[in-house]
Amino acid sequence: MERKSYSAGAVKMSFWFMEFRKVVSLLAEGKSLDEIKELNKEQNIFGAPTTLRSEQIYSTVAGRVHTLDESFCSVFLESDVASQKLFALVAVMAYDTLFFDFVYEVVREKMIIGSNSFADSDIRIFFKDKQLQDEKVAKWTDATLNRLGRCYKTMLFEAGLTDKGKDERKILKPILDPVMQRWLEDHDMEACVRALIGVR
């Protein structure tokens, strides 16, 4: 899995599961990403409120889909909704290295030590560490980091990985579908498997 430079772009993004599923379905029907882009321009297939938002959703969702090998489409479409949401989460992790690190270093670690929840203080500590490690992150404002933290919590909740606790989020450890797990392991994404199920 390719590591990209850290980005705070997630503050403008959502989990966009239904949109992700729509793009995968269209790809499975034989459309290319370019054709889906055109279709979105003509028909606003995501029902976005503005053209700008519509383009933003397409470019983010297409970017996430692009991080996965095309063979995932059939596995995704044959999976239940819970597994599809985990697949969409894996695509977010592959697309956004900082979010991947958060899931791997905070959520996974909590599961490993058996403390199945994380608090806002854990998010703050994570970002503080990243600011020490990375010059780019060091320049981000507290407002940006707070928004990123909120965005990460929302995505994990919408993917079914946590509850919606106010001060503390309970981690709902998923049971990975064996077909999905095998696909991830076969495509050099074992790190995502470890992140999701909380193993060393």
Side-chain angles (χ1 to χ4, degrees):
M1 202 167 71
E2 181 200 348
R3 282 189 68 82
K4 305 179 179 79
S5 64
Y6 286 151
S7 159
V11 296
K12 298 195 292 282
M13 296 168 195
S14 295
F15 187 46
W16 288 324
F17 172 63
M18 299 308 289
E19 293 82 351
F20 185 85
R21 190 154 70 170
K22 183 159 211 131
V23 169
V24 175
S25 301
L26 289 167
L27 285 170
E29 286 169 18
K31 286 194 165 37
S32 69
L33 282 174
D34 283 341
E35 287 170 326
I36 297 168
K37 185 179 186 175
E38 277 311 304
L39 195 65
N40 185 41
K41 261 190 195 151
E42 291 159 15
Q43 298 177 19
N44 186 18
I45 56 173
F46 306 124
T50 64
T51 308
L52 185 67
R53 192 63 168 165
S54 170
E55 287 167 0
Q56 193 177 46
I57 294 170
Y58 168 78
S59 108
T60 304
V61 172
R64 291 172 184 173
V65 167
H66 193 63
T67 63
L68 304 173
D69 181 89
E70 267 173 39
S71 63
F72 103 95
C73 287
S74 57
V75 180
F76 177 89
L77 292 169
E78 285 160 22
S79 301
D80 62 16
V81 172
S83 296
Q84 288 184 343
K85 285 184 175 178
L86 290 175
F87 246 130
L89 188 70
V90 164
V92 178
M93 288 158 67
Y95 182 72
D96 184 333
T97 300
L98 187 59
F99 179 67
F100 168 81
D101 284 358
F102 177 75
V103 179
Y104 197 82
E105 294 169 21
V106 178
V107 181
R108 170 179 153 273
E109 281 297 325
K110 292 285 184 181
M111 287 193 269
I112 288 170
I113 61 171
S115 147
N116 289 321
S117 65
F118 66 89
D120 288 349
S121 55
D122 295 306
I123 300 173
R124 282 194 296 275
I125 291 164
F126 169 77
F127 285 133
K128 281 265 183 300
D129 287 347
K130 292 300 168 193
Q131 287 187 305
L132 295 173
Q133 295 164 18
D134 190 285
E135 285 176 18
K136 194 172 166 189
V137 184
K139 293 187 178 113
W140 295 347
T141 63
D142 287 348
T144 297
L145 296 174
N146 287 336
R147 282 174 67 195
L148 264 185
R150 282 199 301 275
C151 172
Y152 288 3
K153 286 195 295 187
T154 302
M155 287 206 273
L156 291 169
F157 168 70
E158 289 183 8
L161 213 63
T162 70
D163 71 358
K164 207 175 183 180
K166 192 163 163 37
D167 302 318
E168 204 166 62
R169 296 274 164 130
K170 191 172 189 300
I171 299 164
L172 310 169
K173 188 173 179 174
I175 295 162
L176 283 195
D177 179 298
V179 178
M180 175 186 179
Q181 183 165 342
R182 192 161 54 247
W183 187 92
L184 290 169
E185 287 166 351
D186 288 348
H187 291 84
D188 195 25
M189 298 184 100
E190 299 94 334
C192 289
V193 174
R194 292 198 297 273
L196 290 173
I197 61 176
V199 293
R200 290 262 177 242

